[in-house]
């Protein structure tokens, strides 16, 4: 059984749906969907919402963003809704435009249906120049 902390540190090639599911279920149990310094879930990309989350984590302690995971209105594995496969390239392009010097590692994880992905973004706060800004704003995570 994978440890939830593994999502932060295992090689990208070892990140799979079971690891994402274990992480989501543990995060829910620990009430991290309401507030966390190093984790955020986004059901989908909407304008600059993911870029803002990346910037905030980059300016704080780093962490993980899961795109394709509901932060409310669902529980358990039902939180994991995924995004269309085309969203991987669209998200990468959006982040490259908004945060060219603060690109996170983006790991596409296939859902069991084979039609959708969960995008795991790992943000390394120590690997980017500071401050990271989006639309002229410096964002941070507050514990």
């Amino acid at each position: 059984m994978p440890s939830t902390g593994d999502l932060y540190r295992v090689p990208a090639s070892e990140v799979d749906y079971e690891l994402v599911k274990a992480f989501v279920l543990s995060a829910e149990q620990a009430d991290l969907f309401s507030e966390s310094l190093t984790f955020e879930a986004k059901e989908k990309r909407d304008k600059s919402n993911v870029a803002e989350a990346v910037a905030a984590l980059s300016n704080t302690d780093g962490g993980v963003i899961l795109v394709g995971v509901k932060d409310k209105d669902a529980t358990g594995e039902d939180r994991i809704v995924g995004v269309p496969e085309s969203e991987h390239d669209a998200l990468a392009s959006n982040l490259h435009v908004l945060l060219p010097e603060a690109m996170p590692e983006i790991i596409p994880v296939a859902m069991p249906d084979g039609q959708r992905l969960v995008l795991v973004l790992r943000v390394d706060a120590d690997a980017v120049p500071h401050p990271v800004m989006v639309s002229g704003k410096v964002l941070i995570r507050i514990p």
Side-chain angles (χ1 to χ4, degrees):
M1 179 75 174
S3 160
T4 58
D6 290 345
L7 192 58
Y8 289 94
R9 62 181 172 268
V10 299
S13 62
E14 294 178 25
V15 176
D16 62 8
Y17 182 79
E18 289 303 314
L19 182 61
V20 170
K21 181 173 82 172
F23 182 88
V24 166
L25 297 176
S26 291
E28 182 177 79
Q29 191 172 34
D31 202 27
L32 296 180
F33 281 92
S34 60
E35 193 172 314
S36 172
L37 190 60
T38 59
F39 166 64
E40 186 152 347
K42 297 287 186 191
E43 184 175 352
K44 61 185 177 182
R45 177 177 54 93
D46 184 25
K47 298 179 182 142
S48 62
N49 68 332
V50 175
E52 289 174 357
V54 169
L57 288 172
S58 295
N59 289 326
T60 314
D61 293 332
V64 170
I65 302 165
L66 298 179
V67 180
V69 175
K70 290 184 173 190
D71 65 341
K72 55 187 174 231
D73 300 329
T75 58
E77 195 172 353
D78 289 341
R79 286 185 183 274
I80 308 171
V81 295
V83 294
E85 289 184 21
S86 61
E87 183 61 16
H88 177 265
D89 291 342
L91 176 67
S93 294
N94 179 260
L95 291 176
H96 186 69
V97 167
L98 295 172
L99 303 169
E101 295 182 7
M103 283 294 293
E105 178 182 22
I106 303 173
I107 306 166
V109 176
M111 292 189 59
D113 69 7
Q115 303 297 309
R116 297 175 72 75
L117 301 171
V118 173
L119 300 175
V120 178
L121 283 67
R122 295 199 288 201
V123 178
D124 182 352
D126 296 328
V128 298
H130 291 94
V132 175
M133 297 173 55
V134 175
S135 302
K137 298 182 286 190
V138 176
L139 303 160
I140 59 169
R141 303 289 285 204
I142 299 174

